[in-house]
Amino acid sequence: MYKNVNELAAVVRKAVETTVITDVHTHLSPPSHGDSLLWGADEILTYHYLVAELFTVAPRSLTYEKFWAMPKTAQADLVWEHLFLKRGALSEAARGAITTFNRLGLDVAKRDLAGIRKWFAEQKIEDYLPKVLELANVDYAVMSNSPYSAGEVGFWQQDLPVPECLKAALRIDSIARAWDSVAPTIAQAGYDVKPEPDEKTFDEVRRFLLDWSGRINPMYFAVSFGPDFAYPDDSLCTQIIDRAIVPAAVETGVPFALMIGARGNVNPNLKSAGCGVAVADVMTLTRLLQKHPEAKFLVTMLSRDNQHELTVLARKFGNLHVFGCWWFCNNPSIIDEMTRQRLEMLGTAFTCQHSDARVLDQLIYKWGHTRKIVADVLVDKYSDLFNAGWRPTEKEIKRDVRAIFGGSFEEFLNK
Ligand code: HDL
Ligand code: ZN
C-alpha cells in the first residue's frame, strides 16, 4: 500500500497505464473484409483529419480536384511535407502519427518516410492486427457496420471470419435520417417497406433490424444526428425511432447510441473531412429519454458547448450512458475538461473515451494520448481524496480506472 500522496500518484498512473481498454466506437473492419480495414503509413498520413489540416495551409494551386486525383502515396507525401516538415507536427492528428510510428519502434527522428513505408510493407495484417491491439492494450473495438451498404452486406452474407477483438454495431444513419434513400435497398432485401412508409413498413424495418441483429450480434444500434436533431416532431425520423429503432433495440436488449452535433458537408470538397460542428439542443435528448424509459441510450455529443448539459442529463436518467470525447473533442485540452466534469458529476458511471479509429494503427496514439490525460486527472482526484483522509486500495483504484475505460459500458449493457 502507498505511504504518501506521491506514492498514490504512482499507483494511479500505473493503473491507467496498464488497464485494458474497451474501445466502444471505431470504424475498423475485420481483415477478412479486405480493403475496408485501413492501415499503414499512407492511410495514417491521409487520415481525413490531416487532409483537412493540409488544406488549411496548402498553396491555392493545390485544388481539391488535383488532390483527389492523386494516388494515396502522393497525397501522403503532401501531408508529410506541409504538416510534418514545413510546419511543426503539433496538431493532435499530426502528433498522433508521430506517436504511432514511434510506438511501433520506428525512428521518427530520421524523418525517413520511405523507410517507414518499407517497414509497413513488410507487415502481415494477420499478425499486425493483434500487435496493434496489444500495443494499445485494447481488448476489443466496436465497429460501425452498415446493414444496407452493398460492400458490407456482401461481406456479412459470406459469413467471413471476424476476430474476437472486433465486435459489431449496427450503424443505421440513413434509416433514421434518409429513409427514402435506403427504402429500395431494404425492399430489395425482401422486406415489405415503402419509401412513403405505411403501418407495415415500420414493422418490417423492425424485422430488418432484428434479422441483422441475429446476423451480426451488434453491441448497440447507432445513428449520427446533426445539431438540428429534433424529437418528437412530425418528421418520419420520429416515427422510425418510436416504431422501429427503439422497439427493436428493446427487443434485442441493446442500447440505441446517438452521436449528436455533426454538421454534414460544411465543405463537401473535403469529402469525409468536410463535416463541421454546431451546438445541439439537449432538450431533444431529454424528451427521448422521457418518452422511452424502457430503452437504454448511449450518447456522445460533438460540441464542447453541449458537454456540461449532457453530463447533467446523465445524472437524471439511469438509462443514459455518456461516452467518449468525440472527433473535435478528442483533443487533450477538451478531454481533460470533459473527464474532470464527468468524474465530478458522475463518479465512474461513464465511458471516458472512444478512439473513433478509422485506421487500425491509430488505436496506438488515440489511446496512448488519452491515457496520459486521464492519468493526470485521476491523480488530482485521488490526491484530493487522500488529503481528505480516504485511502482507496490499489485494487479499488484499478477497479475505478477500468470502469471509465469500458467497465461501466459493459455494466450498462448488462443493466
Ligand atoms: O459519424 C461518425 O461515426 C464520425 O465519427 C465520423 O465517422 C467522423 O468522420 C470521424 O471519423 N470522426 O472521428
Ligand atoms: Zn465515428
Side-chain angles (χ1 to χ4, degrees), residues 27-226:
H27 298 272
L28 301 179
S29 299
S32 61
H33 290 195
D35 295 346
S36 305
L37 176 59
L38 306 178
W39 62 285
D42 291 321
E43 294 298 352
I44 291 169
L45 292 173
T46 56
Y47 182 33
H48 71 66
Y49 291 30
L50 291 171
V51 172
E53 291 168 35
L54 169 66
F55 278 97
T56 63
V57 296
R60 295 180 69 75
S61 56
L62 176 68
T63 63
Y64 296 115
E65 294 69 29
K66 276 187 200 160
F67 178 79
W68 293 120
M70 288 177 180
K72 194 156 285 257
T73 44
Q75 294 174 359
D77 287 342
L78 280 173
V79 170
W80 184 250
E81 176 195 350
H82 286 283
L83 302 183
F84 291 79
L85 304 182
K86 280 187 175 162
R87 295 166 186 81
L90 293 166
S91 77
E92 187 58 8
R95 181 169 75 90
I98 300 294
T99 300
T100 302
F101 294 150
N102 175 258
R103 290 287 314 282
L104 287 165
L106 300 169
D107 179 0
V108 286
K110 281 193 201 147
R111 305 187 182 193
D112 173 13
L113 182 53
I116 291 171
R117 281 176 169 142
K118 185 169 167 299
W119 182 86
F120 277 101
E122 291 155 5
Q123 307 312 307
K124 293 264 168 298
I125 187 59
E126 288 64 35
D127 308 321
Y128 187 61
L129 173 66
K131 178 188 178 95
V132 170
L133 269 291
E134 193 189 341
L135 271 174
N137 198 4
V138 166
D139 54 4
Y140 63 87
V142 184
M143 303 180 282
S144 301
N145 308 104
S146 161
Y148 39 70
S149 61
E152 177 128 31
V153 169
F155 289 137
W156 289 101
Q157 279 169 342
Q158 295 167 60
D159 205 11
L160 298 171
V162 178
E164 270 310 300
C165 64
L166 293 174
K167 307 289 184 201
L170 260 184
R171 182 62 184 262
I172 52 173
D173 292 11
S174 298
I175 287 182
R177 293 170 38 210
W179 169 247
D180 50 351
S181 73
V182 283
T185 307
I186 295 177
Q188 223 115 48
Y191 296 84
D192 181 6
V193 296
K194 296 185 178 58
E196 298 293 321
D198 55 9
E199 210 35 52
K200 176 93 176 145
T201 296
F202 297 114
D203 292 341
E204 285 291 88
V205 173
R206 192 163 69 238
R207 186 169 72 89
F208 174 79
L209 294 175
L210 293 176
D211 289 351
W212 269 90
S213 297
R215 177 171 293 146
I216 70 172
N217 190 24
M219 302 205 79
Y220 52 78
F221 299 165
V223 173
S224 169
F225 288 99

Side-chain angles (χ1 to χ4, degrees), residues 25 27 47-49 171 224 259 272 326-327 356 358:
H25 169 61
H27 298 272
Y47 182 33
H48 71 66
Y49 291 30
R171 182 62 184 262
S224 169
M259 308 168 72
S272 51
W326 183 27
W327 199 344
D356 227 312
R358 281 180 167 277

Side-chain angles (χ1 to χ4, degrees), residues 1-44:
M1 186 69 161
Y2 49 87
K3 288 191 280 306
N4 56 48
V5 75
N6 292 332
E7 288 185 13
L8 167 59
V11 166
V12 173
R13 291 190 189 284
K14 185 104 182 95
V16 174
E17 194 41 49
T18 55
T19 200
V20 174
I21 288 175
T22 297
D23 196 342
V24 302
H25 169 61
T26 73
H27 298 272
L28 301 179
S29 299
S32 61
H33 290 195
D35 295 346
S36 305
L37 176 59
L38 306 178
W39 62 285
D42 291 321
E43 294 298 352
I44 291 169

Side-chain angles (χ1 to χ4, degrees), residues 306-316 322 337-350 381:
N306 279 133
Q307 302 307 330
H308 185 257
E309 271 183 87
L310 176 60
T311 305
V312 171
L313 195 61
R315 290 167 59 90
K316 307 302 159 195
V322 296
E337 175 185 271
M338 284 175 67
T339 306
R340 286 180 194 279
Q341 192 174 99
R342 288 165 168 180
L343 283 167
E344 289 154 6
M345 283 199 268
L346 301 172
T348 58
F350 68 99
K381 294 300 173 190

